[in-house]
Amino acid sequence: MVQSRRTLLSRLWILASVAYGGLRALLVWKFLSGYGVNPWVFGTVELTSSAAYGWASARLVAHVVDR
């Protein structure tokens, strides 16, 4: 029961992190693409790092809670 709830919360956190990164990528596309920022490169880096951040922070919180 606890493990399934933790898995659900971890996945929701990762999804929220990626969604927030996607929002930032869309804002960069809209406002900064005219200034030489490549939105495809920025979006790729942003979404990849958001997924890694979400995964790592979810694991860290779970580890702290276990201790």
Side-chain angles (χ1 to χ4, degrees):
M1 178 72 173
V2 173
Q3 186 64 27
S4 63
R5 182 169 185 219
R6 178 177 292 175
T7 302
L8 174 65
L9 290 174
S10 294
R11 289 180 182 169
L12 286 174
W13 178 252
I14 294 168
L15 181 65
S17 297
V18 171
Y20 184 59
L23 175 65
R24 288 191 307 251
L26 287 174
L27 290 173
V28 164
W29 192 313
K30 180 173 174 74
F31 295 112
L32 297 180
S33 62
Y35 293 100
V37 177
N38 186 337
W40 291 105
V41 172
F42 181 85
T44 302
V45 170
E46 182 65 32
L47 292 176
T48 303
S49 62
S50 293
Y53 167 75
W55 178 79
S57 60
R59 289 195 35 110
L60 176 68
V61 169
H63 180 71
V64 169
V65 168
D66 287 343
R67 294 190 122 214

